[in-house]
Amino acid sequence: MSVLLLQLAGPLQSWGAASRFARRSTENAPTKSGLVGLLAAAQGRERSDDVSDLAALRFGVRVDQPGVRLRDFQTAHHGDTGEAMPVSDRFYLADAVFLAAFEGDRALVEELHQTLRAPVYLPYLGRRSCPPARPIPQGAVEEDLESALEAHPWLAGKWYQRKRKREAEVELGVWIDVRKGHTADHEQRDVPVSFDQAHRRYSMRGVEYTTVTVPNPQAAQAAPLQAAPLVHEPMDALGDE
């Protein structure tokens, strides 16, 4: 098995799993459906195309920098009639950074990695108004999903790493597709069956929560202890004359 690693960092992100009508919420971490959509768009697939091969990949995401939740209160008017449209609330994550990963067949993982380097449709972080601030593809590795999420360097901004400079290692939360024989910590309707706008469909996804520990490259280095120089001056004991 191979693992595709993705860096998700930008001024704003929004990953809705249960957004409806005028309230557009966001989860605290990227959703599987959102990332499957990103990969499908990079390949140039249409919304009506089958995405079952991408949805079958095992998915996990590491929270490198949680960000801050923002609420955007929006009003609008109809372009033709001028009538007021329903007021909407849209929620975003500001200054967040995540490491997402997909585990699957090596050939498909390598294909997706190359596709992300020259995508057909430009990727965005949950909504078209949320462009990425850093390159998304982080490579493909020959590891299992859990090991890949633990081994990759910490992607948080240097300013955020310096805020935790007293910690040589930091503990990061990880949301991952539940393994066979394990009990899900959380379930959400997050596996895409169809992105067709006429009838979007999603199935349930079981998720388990865990943590990994990674080194902090901005950790403060303790100054090495230096022994005081040994000096012996016999005449000092006589005092001044």
Side-chain angles (χ1 to χ4, degrees):
M1 286 291 184
S2 295
V3 174
L4 174 68
L5 296 169
L6 310 174
Q7 176 180 222
L8 307 171
L12 293 176
Q13 304 186 39
S14 188
W15 306 98
S19 297
R20 300 186 66 186
F21 307 115
R23 184 178 177 85
R24 303 291 180 173
S25 62
T26 179
E27 300 296 313
N28 292 328
T31 58
K32 183 173 185 176
S33 56
L35 269 297
V36 167
L38 184 150
L39 295 178
Q43 289 184 314
R45 302 192 195 192
E46 301 300 326
R47 287 186 175 271
S48 57
D49 291 345
D50 180 32
V51 293
S52 58
D53 58 334
L54 301 180
L57 296 170
R58 189 157 175 256
F59 174 71
V61 59
R62 189 180 80 187
V63 183
D64 283 34
Q65 186 174 313
V68 178
R69 186 179 294 266
L70 295 180
R71 173 177 174 265
D72 184 22
F73 177 79
Q74 294 190 353
T75 60
H77 287 78
H78 195 283
D80 294 328
T81 65
E83 294 182 0
M85 302 292 287
V87 174
S88 65
D89 289 311
R90 297 173 185 256
F91 293 85
Y92 300 87
L93 297 175
D95 293 328
V97 182
F98 303 98
L99 174 67
F102 283 94
E103 179 188 74
D105 178 71
R106 179 178 181 180
L108 177 56
V109 166
E110 288 289 348
E111 177 188 343
L112 292 171
H113 178 236
Q114 294 303 322
T115 297
L116 285 171
R117 299 178 68 182
V120 176
Y121 298 115
L122 292 177
Y124 48 86
L125 305 181
R127 293 189 188 142
R128 290 191 180 92
S129 59
C130 302
R134 304 181 195 169
I136 289 179
Q138 291 289 291
V141 296
E142 294 294 318
E143 291 183 282
D144 61 80
L145 188 59
E146 287 82 2
S147 298
L149 288 169
E150 183 174 11
H152 201 73
W154 194 19
L155 297 177
K158 290 184 178 180
W159 66 270
Y160 187 81
Q161 294 176 357
R162 285 194 293 268
K163 283 181 64 176
R164 303 182 65 174
K165 64 183 180 180
R166 296 183 182 276
E167 303 173 64
E169 294 182 325
V170 294
E171 187 176 79
L172 306 176
V174 174
W175 291 100
I176 199 164
D177 284 353
V178 66
R179 292 165 288 184
K180 291 183 179 180
H182 286 234
T183 302
D185 296 316
H186 175 65
E187 289 190 351
Q188 61 187 59
R189 196 167 295 279
D190 189 33
V191 179
V193 177
S194 172
F195 286 125
D196 194 329
Q197 290 179 307
H199 187 196
R200 296 185 185 182
R201 289 179 294 154
Y202 304 88
S203 61
M204 298 300 294
R205 170 184 171 228
V207 184
E208 59 180 303
Y209 179 79
T210 186
T211 60
V212 297
T213 302
V214 298
N216 182 0
Q218 298 294 322
Q221 300 295 322
L225 295 177
Q226 296 182 349
L230 296 176
V231 178
H232 178 61
E233 178 54 65
M235 298 304 293
D236 288 346
L238 299 178
D240 294 332
E241 293 185 358

